[in-house]
């Protein structure tokens, strides 16, 4: 009889993840000093920054946008070469706590000392750093960090008695020179931990 034990042994529920909670930080680009930026799954935010609080029940969604494909054809119409650009990723979320950081990100203006926002147009060109620090069902940390993001889409704000007031945004992630578009530490479980390195964390964790 052939050995088929490897089939059942290939499944491990300890590798399954369910995100149970997270804290989301929306920070104007340049807020974090180099020593304060996430470098691993054990990131601790500096005391000067605060999370935006509750998001809607849909949580946050990381989404890939494929790049454009160009097909080059020969004289007989056959495709002889296809090239695809790299594309990009987005992060979609909706804040439901009416806090300064979320409101300023959504409306693209500074909030005043009385909690008001004063909007002149729909422009929103601010660049952001986005940090999402999460815990899975076993209390294992995950940290997502995008060093350069800009809001590309905004959802409507409903002002009525049947829906929570929520500020829904989609961030387009951009790749800065010499750094990844984003990093996500703590995702992969079937790896052997590397020995500690200097600095704020081990990039591979």
């Amino acid at each position: 009889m052939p050995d088929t034990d490897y089939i059942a042994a290939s499944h491990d529920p300890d590798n399954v993840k369910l995100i149970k909670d997270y804290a989301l930080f929306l920070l104007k680009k340049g807020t974090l000093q180099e020593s304060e930026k996430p470098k691993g799954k054990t990131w601790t935010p500096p005391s000067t920054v605060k999370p935006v609080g509750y998001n809607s029940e849909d949580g946050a969604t990381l989404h890939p946008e494929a790049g454009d494909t160009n097909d080059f054809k020969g004289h007989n119409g056959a495709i002889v070469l296809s090239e695809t650009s790299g594309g990009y990723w987005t992060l979609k979320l909706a804040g439901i706590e009416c806090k300064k950081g979320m409101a300023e990100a959504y409306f693209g203006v500074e909030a005043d000392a009385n909690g008001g926002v004063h909007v002149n147009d729909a422009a929103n060109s601010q660049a952001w750093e986005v940090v999402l620090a999460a815990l899975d069902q076993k209390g294992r940390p995950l940290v997502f960090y995008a060093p350069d993001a800009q809001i590309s889409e905004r959802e409507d704000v409903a002002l009525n008695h049947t829906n929570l007031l929520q500020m829904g945004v989609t961030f387009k992630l951009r790749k800065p020179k010499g750094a990844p578009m984003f990093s996500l530490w703590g995702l992969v479980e079937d790896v052997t931990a590397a020995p500690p390195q200097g600095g704020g964390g081990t990039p591979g964790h």
Side-chain angles (χ1 to χ4, degrees):
M1 291 289 292
D3 181 5
T4 58
D5 291 345
Y6 69 91
I7 297 175
S10 67
H11 312 308
D12 186 350
D14 285 339
N15 293 331
V16 174
K17 289 185 180 289
L18 178 68
I19 302 302
K20 300 295 287 185
D21 201 2
Y22 63 77
L24 178 74
F25 297 80
L26 302 180
L27 310 168
K28 291 179 180 178
K29 188 177 177 182
T31 297
L32 294 177
Q33 301 299 312
E34 188 61 35
S35 61
E36 298 172 331
K37 295 178 181 180
K39 295 180 176 64
K41 64 182 180 181
T42 56
W43 182 70
T44 300
S47 60
T48 53
V49 302
K50 304 298 180 186
V52 300
Y54 272 114
N55 285 187
S56 70
E57 63 181 347
D58 292 329
T61 300
L62 187 61
H63 171 72
E65 286 285 350
D68 295 328
T69 298
N70 292 321
D71 292 332
F72 298 88
K73 297 180 180 180
H75 68 279
N76 60 355
I79 296 174
V80 296
L81 177 66
S82 292
E83 287 189 341
T84 303
S85 61
Y88 60 91
W89 290 74
T90 65
L91 183 70
K92 183 178 180 179
L93 57 102
I96 62 173
E97 289 193 36
C98 296
K99 295 174 69 174
K100 185 175 185 289
M102 191 69 238
E104 290 185 347
Y106 181 86
F107 289 103
V109 297
E110 298 279 346
D112 67 24
N114 297 313
V117 293
H118 310 282
V119 180
N120 294 317
D121 54 38
N124 200 328
S125 59
Q126 176 66 49
W128 298 89
E129 296 178 68
V130 182
V131 183
L132 190 151
L135 293 173
D136 72 5
Q137 77 282 7
K138 291 181 175 290
R140 297 173 295 197
L142 294 88
V143 172
F144 168 91
Y145 175 55
D148 188 357
Q150 185 176 347
I151 292 175
S152 59
E153 295 182 31
R154 287 174 288 185
E155 298 177 9
D156 296 344
V157 174
L159 305 174
N160 57 48
H161 72 284
T162 58
N163 296 282
L164 291 175
L165 191 159
Q166 61 184 40
M167 292 165 276
V169 296
T170 298
F171 286 94
K172 180 179 179 180
L173 310 184
R174 302 182 293 199
K175 184 185 182 311
K177 184 177 180 179
M181 185 178 293
F182 69 87
S183 297
L184 180 56
W185 295 278
L187 175 67
V188 179
E189 290 297 329
D190 61 334
V191 293
T192 302
Q197 299 177 4
T202 303
H205 286 195

